[in-house]
Coordinates of all heavy atoms in Angstrom, one line a residue:
L1 N -77.5 37.6 -31.9 CA -76.1 37.4 -31.8 C -75.7 37.3 -30.4 O -74.8 36.5 -30.0 CB -75.3 38.5 -32.5 CG -73.8 38.4 -32.6 CD1 -73.4 37.2 -33.2 CD2 -73.3 39.6 -33.3
A2 N -76.2 38.1 -29.5 CA -75.9 38.1 -28.1 C -76.2 36.7 -27.5 O -75.5 36.2 -26.7 CB -76.6 39.2 -27.4
A3 N -77.4 36.2 -27.9 CA -77.8 34.9 -27.4 C -76.8 33.8 -27.8 O -76.4 33.0 -27.0 CB -79.2 34.6 -27.8
K4 N -76.4 33.9 -29.1 CA -75.4 32.9 -29.6 C -74.1 33.0 -28.9 O -73.4 32.0 -28.6 CB -75.2 33.1 -31.1 CG -76.3 32.6 -32.0 CD -76.0 32.9 -33.4 CE -77.2 32.6 -34.3 NZ -76.9 32.9 -35.7
R5 N -73.7 34.2 -28.5 CA -72.4 34.4 -27.8 C -72.5 34.4 -26.3 O -71.5 34.6 -25.6 CB -71.8 35.7 -28.3 CG -71.4 35.8 -29.7 CD -70.6 37.1 -30.0 NE -70.2 37.2 -31.4 CZ -69.5 38.2 -31.8 NH1 -69.2 39.2 -31.0 NH2 -69.2 38.3 -33.1
A6 N -73.7 34.2 -25.8 CA -73.9 34.2 -24.4 C -73.4 35.5 -23.8 O -72.7 35.6 -22.8 CB -73.3 33.0 -23.7
T7 N -73.8 36.7 -24.4 CA -73.4 38.0 -23.9 C -74.6 38.8 -24.0 O -75.7 38.4 -24.3 CB -72.2 38.5 -24.6 OG1 -71.7 39.7 -24.0 CG2 -72.5 38.8 -26.1
S8 N -74.5 40.1 -23.7 CA -75.6 41.1 -23.8 C -75.5 41.9 -25.0 O -74.4 42.1 -25.7 CB -75.5 42.0 -22.5 OG -74.4 42.8 -22.6
V9 N -76.6 42.5 -25.4 CA -76.7 43.5 -26.5 C -75.7 44.7 -26.2 O -75.0 45.1 -27.0 CB -78.1 44.0 -26.8 CG1 -78.1 45.2 -27.7 CG2 -78.9 42.8 -27.3
A10 N -75.7 45.1 -24.9 CA -74.9 46.2 -24.5 C -73.4 45.9 -24.7 O -72.7 46.8 -25.2 CB -75.1 46.6 -23.0
Q11 N -73.0 44.7 -24.4 CA -71.6 44.3 -24.6 C -71.3 44.3 -26.1 O -70.2 44.7 -26.5 CB -71.3 42.9 -24.0 CG -69.9 42.5 -24.2 CD -68.9 43.4 -23.5 OE1 -69.2 43.9 -22.5 NE2 -67.8 43.6 -24.2
L12 N -72.2 43.8 -27.0 CA -71.9 43.8 -28.4 C -71.8 45.3 -28.9 O -70.9 45.6 -29.8 CB -73.1 43.1 -29.2 CG -73.2 41.6 -28.9 CD1 -74.4 41.1 -29.7 CD2 -71.9 40.9 -29.4
I13 N -72.6 46.2 -28.4 CA -72.5 47.6 -28.8 C -71.2 48.2 -28.4 O -70.5 48.9 -29.2 CB -73.7 48.4 -28.3 CG1 -75.0 47.9 -29.0 CG2 -73.5 49.9 -28.4 CD1 -76.3 48.4 -28.3
L14 N -70.8 47.9 -27.2 CA -69.4 48.4 -26.7 C -68.3 47.8 -27.6 O -67.3 48.5 -27.9 CB -69.2 48.0 -25.2 CG -70.1 48.8 -24.2 CD1 -69.9 48.1 -22.8 CD2 -69.8 50.2 -24.2
E15 N -68.4 46.5 -27.9 CA -67.4 45.9 -28.8 C -67.4 46.7 -30.2 O -66.3 46.9 -30.7 CB -67.6 44.5 -29.0 CG -67.4 43.6 -27.8 CD -67.8 42.1 -28.0 OE1 -68.0 41.7 -29.2 OE2 -67.9 41.4 -27.0
G16 N -68.6 47.0 -30.7 CA -68.6 47.7 -31.9 C -68.0 49.1 -31.9 O -67.2 49.5 -32.7
I17 N -68.2 49.8 -30.8 CA -67.6 51.1 -30.5 C -66.1 50.9 -30.5 O -65.3 51.7 -31.1 CB -68.2 51.7 -29.2 CG1 -69.6 52.1 -29.4 CG2 -67.3 53.0 -28.8 CD1 -70.4 52.5 -28.2
D18 N -65.6 49.9 -29.7 CA -64.2 49.7 -29.7 C -63.6 49.5 -31.0 O -62.5 50.0 -31.3 CB -63.8 48.5 -28.7 CG -64.0 48.8 -27.3 OD1 -64.1 50.0 -26.9 OD2 -64.1 47.9 -26.5
R19 N -64.3 48.7 -31.9 CA -63.8 48.5 -33.2 C -63.7 49.7 -34.1 O -62.7 50.0 -34.8 CB -64.6 47.4 -33.9 CG -64.3 46.0 -33.4 CD -65.1 45.0 -34.2 NE -64.9 43.7 -33.6 CZ -65.5 42.6 -34.0 NH1 -66.4 42.6 -35.0 NH2 -65.2 41.4 -33.4
V20 N -64.7 50.6 -34.0 CA -64.8 51.8 -34.7 C -63.6 52.7 -34.3 O -62.9 53.3 -35.1 CB -66.1 52.6 -34.5 CG1 -66.0 54.0 -35.0 CG2 -67.2 51.8 -35.2
L21 N -63.4 52.8 -33.0 CA -62.3 53.6 -32.5 C -60.9 53.0 -32.9 O -60.0 53.8 -33.2 CB -62.4 53.7 -31.0 CG -63.6 54.5 -30.4 CD1 -63.7 54.5 -28.9 CD2 -63.6 55.9 -31.0
A22 N -60.8 51.8 -32.8 CA -59.5 51.1 -33.2 C -59.2 51.4 -34.7 O -58.1 51.6 -35.1 CB -59.5 49.6 -32.9
T23 N -60.3 51.3 -35.5 CA -60.1 51.5 -37.0 C -59.7 53.0 -37.2 O -58.8 53.2 -38.1 CB -61.5 51.2 -37.7 OG1 -61.8 49.8 -37.5 CG2 -61.4 51.5 -39.2
A24 N -60.3 53.9 -36.5 CA -59.9 55.3 -36.6 C -58.5 55.5 -36.3 O -57.8 56.3 -36.9 CB -60.9 56.2 -35.8
A25 N -58.1 54.9 -35.2 CA -56.7 55.0 -34.8 C -55.7 54.4 -35.8 O -54.6 55.0 -36.1 CB -56.5 54.4 -33.4
M26 N -56.1 53.3 -36.4 CA -55.2 52.7 -37.4 C -55.2 53.6 -38.6 O -54.1 53.8 -39.3 CB -55.8 51.3 -37.8 CG -55.5 50.2 -36.8 SD -53.8 49.9 -36.5 CE -53.4 49.2 -38.1
E27 N -56.3 54.2 -39.1 CA -56.3 55.1 -40.2 C -55.4 56.3 -39.9 O -54.7 56.7 -40.8 CB -57.7 55.5 -40.5 CG -58.6 54.4 -41.1 CD -60.0 54.8 -41.2 OE1 -60.5 55.9 -40.7 OE2 -60.8 53.9 -41.7
A28 N -55.5 56.8 -38.7 CA -54.6 58.0 -38.4 C -53.1 57.6 -38.4 O -52.3 58.3 -38.9 CB -55.0 58.5 -37.0
A29 N -52.8 56.4 -37.9 CA -51.4 55.9 -37.9 C -50.9 55.7 -39.3 O -49.8 56.0 -39.7 CB -51.3 54.6 -37.1
R30 N -51.8 55.1 -40.2 CA -51.4 55.0 -41.6 C -51.2 56.3 -42.3 O -50.3 56.4 -43.1 CB -52.5 54.1 -42.3 CG -52.5 52.7 -42.0 CD -53.4 51.9 -42.8 NE -53.5 50.5 -42.4 CZ -54.6 50.0 -41.8 NH1 -55.7 50.7 -41.6 NH2 -54.6 48.7 -41.4
R31 N -52.1 57.3 -42.0 CA -51.9 58.6 -42.6 C -50.6 59.2 -42.2 O -49.8 59.8 -43.0 CB -53.0 59.5 -42.2 CG -54.2 59.4 -43.1 CD -55.2 60.6 -42.9 NE -55.7 60.7 -41.5 CZ -56.6 60.0 -41.0 NH1 -57.3 59.1 -41.7 NH2 -57.0 60.2 -39.7
R32 N -50.3 59.1 -40.9 CA -49.0 59.7 -40.3 C -47.8 59.0 -40.9 O -46.8 59.6 -41.3 CB -49.0 59.6 -38.8 CG -47.8 60.3 -38.2 CD -47.7 61.7 -38.6 NE -46.5 62.3 -38.0 CZ -45.9 63.4 -38.5 NH1 -46.3 64.0 -39.6 NH2 -44.7 63.8 -37.9
H33 N -47.9 57.6 -41.1 CA -46.9 56.8 -41.7 C -46.6 57.4 -43.1 O -45.5 57.5 -43.5 CB -47.2 55.4 -41.7 CG -46.2 54.5 -42.2 ND1 -46.3 54.0 -43.5 CD2 -45.0 54.0 -41.7 CE1 -45.2 53.2 -43.7 NE2 -44.4 53.3 -42.6
A34 N -47.7 57.5 -43.9 CA -47.5 58.0 -45.2 C -46.9 59.4 -45.3 O -46.0 59.6 -46.1 CB -48.9 58.0 -45.9
E35 N -47.3 60.3 -44.4 CA -46.7 61.6 -44.3 C -45.2 61.5 -44.1 O -44.4 62.2 -44.7 CB -47.3 62.4 -43.2 CG -48.8 62.8 -43.5 CD -49.5 63.4 -42.3 OE1 -48.8 63.5 -41.2 OE2 -50.7 63.7 -42.4

């Protein structure tokens, strides 16, 4: 995937971490909204 995107494996891993953190923040916001 890194080769296809002309990026590094490290960059892909960082993007994955960012997505996990963003998902967690959205889940927390949805929970607070529901409350």
Side-chain angles (χ1 to χ4, degrees):
L1 184 58
K4 286 179 187 175
R5 292 188 182 179
T7 190
S8 66
V9 169
Q11 183 59 39
L12 292 177
I13 292 169
L14 290 173
E15 288 175 17
I17 292 168
D18 287 343
R19 286 185 182 174
V20 167
L21 295 175
T23 298
M26 287 295 293
E27 289 170 355
R30 286 187 187 111
R31 275 193 305 277
R32 184 59 180 153
H33 182 258
E35 291 167 359

